Amino acid sequence: MTSIVSLRNWPEQSAVDMASPAHAPWPRLLVAELTTLCNQRCPMCVKQSPGCGIAEGHMAWTVFERLAPAFPHLDSLILSGIGEPMLYPHLVEAVALARSTMPSGARIAFQSNGVVLGSPTGTDKAAALMEAGLDSICLSVDSADPDEYRRLRPGGETSLLEQAFATLRNAREQTGTRFAIGVETVLLRDTLDKLPTVLRWTAERGADYALISHMLPYHPAMESQAAWEWHTDEAIALFREYETRAHREGLDISIYPKIVWKYSKNEEEKRLCALVAAMQREADSRGLTLHPERLISAADALEDTARRIAQAMADARETADACGIELRLPEAAPLQDRRCEFVESGSVFVAMDGGVHPCHFLWHNAAIHRHGLQRILPAQRFGSLKESDLVAVWNDPSYVAFREAALRYDYPFCGSCRLGPCNLVEDATFEADCIGIEVPCGECPWALGLLQCLS
């Protein structure tokens, strides 16, 4: 009998030290992208990123077999990527091969849009996966409204989702396995207030747990839908202190963006610039990064959005408790104390073509969009399973050095930097940031607690 995937019993992450999973001789969590083919065209997907150049295809079986040396050491195996895992022709065999050597209690799971599971052959396929040792499928549900769902997930229907839930319930009863049905929801500005409705809708159809994540805009048309901002609560609070101080001193801080670059300033303008400079110095002394011009123009809107997010999450928590769903929520605002769960938990990501990557953020070539600007994000690759096995790549000195550098957390907060975007991080050929750090993690929203993945 397989073990249930439960948010309550996922391992707690230990403090970063040489005994942590990041420094073990093998990975503990493996995310394998079995396919990049998909039967939906979601606007929030990295495949919609202009110029990403992601090839479509299935992982070669010989590449998947090269993952096998890591299986006995894993806590979790996630068979998901940017494609639909149910389209992979060897999916049942992949689950069975992994289960044959994975430790007792280790988990195998993947995410699915439910299209195949909602088809007439869905029950047989689900039953075969459960019998092979699959622990959980996490269905992507971003709306319970049929029209809105079609818009967010072209190629999908809520009627297919309903059948997918029924398929999983029936297969679980048929096989007698302790299989967990999950849901994943991506938060957008247009759907934020409807999160409790989605949770209730999925609970009525048998969901056991829900994973909620913010959205990273890979396409310029999606930037306005991101329900979060780059400034931390601490940075906004510091700005508010100096805004109040400016008002007490008879200064209008709203004019600062217009006069900051003036060559000749009057006395009042000089006092205002000195006040903002003092704010920057205090921010530096407290380890905070802020962009005065953006905060001056948008602080009220940021706080209004933060209140809306907090209310939606509180309502979601209340709904989940009432419905008996385990709920994992993201942070409402960026964390000041960053934490990379990918590296700290000993995660490794393998792309469809066999490339080995350290995390979701650096898995695929992409363009991300913020403040009306585009940043080219190159994938960080440490080898290929076409030439080597996974454990050998994991222990390669360059990959070990990357993990150690990432866990020092000494890279800047690029998303709220006053001088950004700069060519050091905006260029496709990243070498180092402004303080010489060679890991391109300064703009990672996962480390800020905003985005989450099945793990």
Side-chain angles (χ1 to χ4, degrees):
M1 182 176 291
T2 58
S3 60
I4 190 170
V5 172
S6 170
L7 294 177
R8 294 191 184 98
N9 58 26
W10 288 358
E12 294 289 329
Q13 304 304 320
S14 60
V16 179
D17 55 36
M18 293 309 293
S20 76
H23 302 291
W26 46 74
R28 298 276 291 275
L29 189 153
L30 169 58
V31 184
E33 183 177 65
L34 298 182
T35 184
T36 54
L37 297 176
C38 192
N39 42 22
Q40 291 186 344
R41 291 293 180 267
C42 307
M44 67 282 281
C45 178
V46 65
K47 291 176 73 174
Q48 309 308 321
S49 179
C52 66
I54 297 173
E56 293 200 334
H58 297 310
M59 179 179 285
W61 182 250
T62 53
V63 170
F64 185 81
E65 287 180 315
R66 285 183 175 266
L67 301 174
F71 291 158
H73 310 288
L74 295 180
D75 294 325
S76 296
L77 171 64
I78 307 300
L79 300 175
S80 296
I82 60 170
E84 169 53 49
M86 292 296 297
L87 297 178
Y88 187 60
H90 309 296
L91 183 57
V92 173
E93 295 92 329
V95 172
L97 176 60
R99 178 57 67 199
S100 67
T101 58
M102 285 179 66
S104 174
R107 296 172 293 277
I108 306 176
F110 62 78
Q111 291 155 304
S112 173
N113 57 36
V115 172
V116 175
L117 288 167
S119 70
T121 61
T123 298
D124 290 341
K125 292 181 178 180
L129 287 167
M130 293 179 193
E131 290 172 342
L134 187 68
D135 294 292
S136 181
I137 292 178
C138 192
L139 295 172
S140 298
V141 187
D142 299 312
S143 176
D145 178 81
D147 292 334
E148 188 171 58
Y149 183 83
R150 290 188 199 101
R151 177 173 59 83
L152 294 176
R153 292 189 168 272
E157 297 284 345
T158 52
S159 58
L160 286 174
L161 265 181
E162 291 196 69
Q163 184 55 48
F165 278 108
T167 289
L168 294 177
R169 294 195 310 270
N170 294 338
R172 179 169 59 186
E173 181 178 355
Q174 175 184 325
T175 58
T177 55
R178 296 179 61 205
F179 183 87
I181 302 172
V183 296
E184 181 189 36
T185 298
V186 177
L187 294 178
L188 306 174
R189 283 185 181 270
D190 286 351
T191 62
L192 182 62
D193 303 323
K194 304 169 188 175
L195 179 57
T197 301
V198 171
L199 292 176
R200 192 175 300 108
W201 188 88
T202 57
E204 291 169 352
R205 286 152 182 80
D208 300 306
Y209 67 91
L211 176 68
I212 315 301
S213 178
H214 284 289
M215 183 268 301
L216 182 62
Y218 290 111
H219 192 279
M222 295 302 294
E223 183 179 354
S224 63
Q225 284 297 316
W228 57 277
E229 218 277 343
W230 294 95
H231 282 95
T232 65
D233 286 342
E234 294 90 339
I236 295 175
L238 178 63
F239 166 75
R240 287 303 196 192
E241 291 177 20
Y242 276 82
E243 182 184 47
T244 300
R245 180 175 162 184
H247 180 72
R248 285 199 310 264
E249 297 180 12
L251 300 173
D252 181 5
I253 200 171
S254 68
I255 70 170
Y256 176 77
K258 301 175 184 177
I259 59 95
V260 59
W261 299 113
K262 281 180 61 176
Y263 179 75
S264 179
K265 300 180 180 68
N266 62 35
E267 288 305 311
E268 182 177 318
E269 291 168 344
K270 290 178 181 178
R271 287 171 54 214
L272 178 59
C273 288
L275 181 71
V276 173
M279 177 179 67
Q280 293 279 184
R281 288 193 298 273
E282 183 170 350
D284 291 342
S285 71
R286 293 165 56 178
L288 303 177
T289 305
L290 52 79
H291 194 298
E293 292 89 339
R294 290 192 188 125
L295 287 177
I296 289 168
S297 64
D300 290 343
L302 295 183
E303 291 179 334
D304 287 343
T305 300
R307 284 190 288 269
R308 185 181 167 205
I309 293 173
Q311 185 61 56
M313 290 188 177
D315 293 344
R317 176 65 66 189
E318 182 178 350
T319 301
D321 290 344
C323 295
I325 294 182
E326 296 182 46
L327 180 63
R328 183 178 171 191
L329 290 167
E331 298 293 329
L335 294 173
Q336 181 63 33
D337 295 325
R338 292 176 289 195
R339 182 169 181 264
C340 178
E341 292 201 13
F342 297 130
V343 177
E344 289 197 22
S345 65
S347 301
V348 66
F349 289 67
V350 179
M352 175 274 293
D353 63 0
V356 179
H357 305 263
C359 60
H360 204 297
F361 187 57
L362 302 174
W363 201 1
H364 297 98
N365 293 323
I368 62 174
H369 298 266
R370 60 172 175 83
H371 309 308
L373 301 169
Q374 173 177 285
R375 177 191 173 184
I376 302 300
L377 184 69
Q380 191 88 12
R381 182 181 172 118
F382 287 98
S384 172
L385 298 192
K386 292 182 178 179
E387 289 86 38
S388 182
D389 67 58
L390 183 60
V391 177
V393 176
W394 173 261
N395 289 295
D396 183 271
S398 63
Y399 194 1
V400 173
F402 175 92
R403 297 197 296 274
E404 292 176 351
L407 292 182
R408 285 194 286 270
Y409 298 114
D410 53 1
Y411 38 86
F413 285 78
C414 296
S416 53
C417 177
R418 184 185 184 188
L419 300 178
C422 68
N423 63 344
L424 293 174
V425 296
E426 298 298 317
D427 289 350
T429 55
F430 175 88
E431 294 182 1
D433 59 35
C434 59
I435 54 177
I437 307 300
E438 297 180 352
V439 294
C441 304
E443 210 166 7
C444 175
W446 278 270
L448 298 171
L450 298 165
L451 273 71
Q452 303 188 96
C453 300
L454 185 65
S455 61

